[in-house]
Amino acid sequence: VLPALVAWIGKRIIDAVETAQQSGALADALRVDDVLRAAQSDAFLFLVIEAGAMLGLLFATRASHVARRLLGLRVAERIRERIIGEATELSLERMEEPETHDRIELARRQAATRPGLFMQHSLGTMRGAIVVIASALLLIQISPWAIIVVLLANVPAFVAQVRFARRLHDLAAEQVVRRREFGYIENVLT
């Protein structure tokens, strides 16, 4: 919500400065200093609120980064525990099958990074949705067409990210077999 709040406060600062300028011209013409002081104090108040919101945004960004990292590490640890638990329940014959070994190896390798990335992307998606909704509420005051343009501008990036994620997963699955063979040859040579 903070990015939209910062944008809204920025608008209020500009409005207050414009009002102060208009009041200044009015005050010069009519000698009404109270109107000018009120408009200037409004601009200053919004400037202070904007500074507080920016500090809040900075703090929230840092705290979010730390929380996502810790959450990703915890999820990865739980997944590794489940992989080990599931692997210990397999029969020896099943463990010797290359496909089983490849699947376990893929899950083990992916457990180190994928859960963290999934958590980061999930939380980022939620954050992005909140920013989009809050920004839409601000943009609707300007023009409903502005909302449509902003939403349509994000479609190509979304499609590209989905394709990239699929290709990355397929590439990792392809490399598991090669890594297993390489690991075996490396162990034999060692």
Side-chain angles (χ1 to χ4, degrees):
V1 175
L2 283 174
L5 179 66
V6 166
W8 180 76
I9 293 171
K11 177 201 176 296
R12 295 297 304 254
I13 290 170
I14 292 169
D15 291 347
V17 168
E18 184 180 352
T19 302
Q21 285 178 340
Q22 290 171 354
S23 299
L26 181 65
D28 287 343
L30 301 176
R31 302 283 181 225
V32 184
D33 292 333
D34 292 339
V35 175
L36 178 60
R37 279 192 215 109
Q40 288 173 340
S41 69
D42 282 351
F44 183 73
L45 174 68
F46 284 122
L47 195 60
V48 170
I49 293 171
E50 175 89 353
M54 292 295 286
L55 285 174
L57 184 59
L58 179 66
F59 175 75
T61 301
R62 299 285 182 185
S64 173
H65 177 71
V66 170
R68 282 189 310 230
R69 184 81 173 129
L70 290 174
L71 189 58
L73 289 172
R74 282 189 176 171
V75 170
E77 183 180 326
R78 298 285 165 106
I79 289 175
R80 280 191 215 109
E81 289 172 1
R82 287 192 63 191
I83 291 169
I84 291 169
E86 294 290 327
T88 58
E89 307 229 348
L90 294 174
S91 67
L92 187 58
E93 295 84 26
R94 183 84 190 264
M95 277 298 281
E96 292 296 324
E97 293 174 0
E99 295 85 20
T100 302
H101 187 73
D102 289 344
R103 283 186 159 183
I104 291 172
E105 184 65 19
L106 178 62
R108 190 180 66 76
R109 286 185 186 273
Q110 297 291 330
T113 57
R114 288 292 174 183
L117 289 174
F118 175 75
M119 296 305 299
Q120 285 179 353
H121 291 301
S122 296
L123 293 173
T125 299
M126 285 188 274
R127 186 179 130 270
I130 291 170
V131 168
V132 165
I133 291 168
S135 298
L137 292 174
L138 292 175
L139 285 174
I140 202 158
Q141 296 173 5
I142 298 169
S143 168
W145 290 105
I147 295 170
I148 294 169
V149 169
V150 169
L151 291 176
L152 288 177
N154 287 302
V155 171
F158 175 75
V159 171
Q161 283 187 346
V162 169
R163 286 185 180 170
F164 178 71
R166 284 184 186 155
R167 181 65 188 129
L168 193 60
H169 174 73
D170 293 344
L171 183 63
E174 290 171 10
Q175 291 179 349
V176 168
V177 174
R178 288 188 215 128
R179 284 183 180 158
R180 179 179 50 82
E181 291 170 351
F182 178 76
Y184 175 76
I185 292 171
E186 183 180 34
N187 286 336
V188 168
L189 290 174
T190 302

